């Protein structure tokens, strides 16, 4: 297991802390590859959700693309939490980011058949 520092906002994994908000994790090579793949997937989904945001008749935060993006972010935070140091786990618990991503308040209908949903 090697120590890494993860920046979710910059989607970077590095061996030295760069920002005060970096999460310290202990990763095996398999876990490192998993985290890199997850960040790559998030980056691609982020580009897609950004492109479809200006659609005037539908809020982007209610569709399949956004739900998939949110699920990936949640996976990333869960992996960071699972492999994180006690300080990292405390930061994530304090931020309640896993709770927020799990319990959205969007129950609106009418978005199921949008042509722009993934």
């Amino acid at each position: 297991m090697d120590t890494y520092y993860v920046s979710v906002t910059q989607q970077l994994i590095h061996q030295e802390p760069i920002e005060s908000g970096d999460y310290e994790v202990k990763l095996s090579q398999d876990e490192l590859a998993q985290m890199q793949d997850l960040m790559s997937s998030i980056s691609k989904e982020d580009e897609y959700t950004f492109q479809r945001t200006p659609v005037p008749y539908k809020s982007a935060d209610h569709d399949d693309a956004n739900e998939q993006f949110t699920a990936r972010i949640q996976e990333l935070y869960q992996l960071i939490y699972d492999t994180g140091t006690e300080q990292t786990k405390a930061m994530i618990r304090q931020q309640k980011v896993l709770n927020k991503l799990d319990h959205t308040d969007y129950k609106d209908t009418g978005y199921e058949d949008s042509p722009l949903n993934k």
Side-chain angles (χ1 to χ4, degrees), residues 81-118:
Y81 184 85
D82 293 344
T83 59
T85 63
E86 287 306 314
Q87 182 179 0
T88 292
K89 290 178 182 185
M91 286 171 60
I92 291 175
R93 281 193 303 268
Q94 183 180 17
Q95 294 167 345
K96 298 180 183 176
V97 68
L98 292 175
N99 239 2
K100 283 182 190 175
L101 293 171
D102 235 357
H103 303 294
T104 63
D105 60 353
Y106 298 118
K107 304 291 182 197
D108 298 335
T109 58
Y111 295 101
E112 301 83 13
D113 298 321
S114 169
L116 295 177
N117 277 348
K118 277 187 168 180

Side-chain angles (χ1 to χ4, degrees), residues 10 14 23-24 38 44 46-47 64 74-75 91 97 103 106 115 117-118:
Q10 293 185 11
H14 33 88
Y23 299 103
E24 184 178 354
L38 194 50
K44 289 175 187 169
D46 189 29
E47 289 174 20
D64 294 342
Q74 188 171 14
E75 282 180 55
M91 286 171 60
V97 68
H103 303 294
Y106 298 118
N117 277 348
K118 277 187 168 180

Side-chain angles (χ1 to χ4, degrees), residues 4-42:
Y4 296 93
Y5 297 87
V6 179
S7 171
V8 175
T9 56
Q10 293 185 11
Q11 297 180 1
L12 294 173
I13 303 168
H14 33 88
Q15 292 183 316
E16 295 294 327
I18 295 175
E19 297 180 350
S20 61
D22 288 350
Y23 299 103
E24 184 178 354
V25 294
K26 307 277 186 191
L27 301 173
S28 67
Q29 289 302 307
D30 288 342
E31 290 166 328
L32 177 61
Q34 179 184 359
M35 192 171 287
Q36 289 169 330
D37 290 346
L38 194 50
M39 284 187 161
S40 176
S41 175
I42 288 168

Side-chain angles (χ1 to χ4, degrees), residues 55-93:
V55 176
Y57 64 88
K58 181 177 175 183
S59 176
D61 60 351
H62 287 55
D63 70 10
D64 294 342
N66 193 60
E67 287 178 16
Q68 187 172 352
F69 176 77
T70 300
R72 292 281 187 258
I73 291 287
Q74 188 171 14
E75 282 180 55
L76 177 60
Y77 274 103
Q78 189 65 57
L79 182 57
I80 291 169
Y81 184 85
D82 293 344
T83 59
T85 63
E86 287 306 314
Q87 182 179 0
T88 292
K89 290 178 182 185
M91 286 171 60
I92 291 175
R93 281 193 303 268

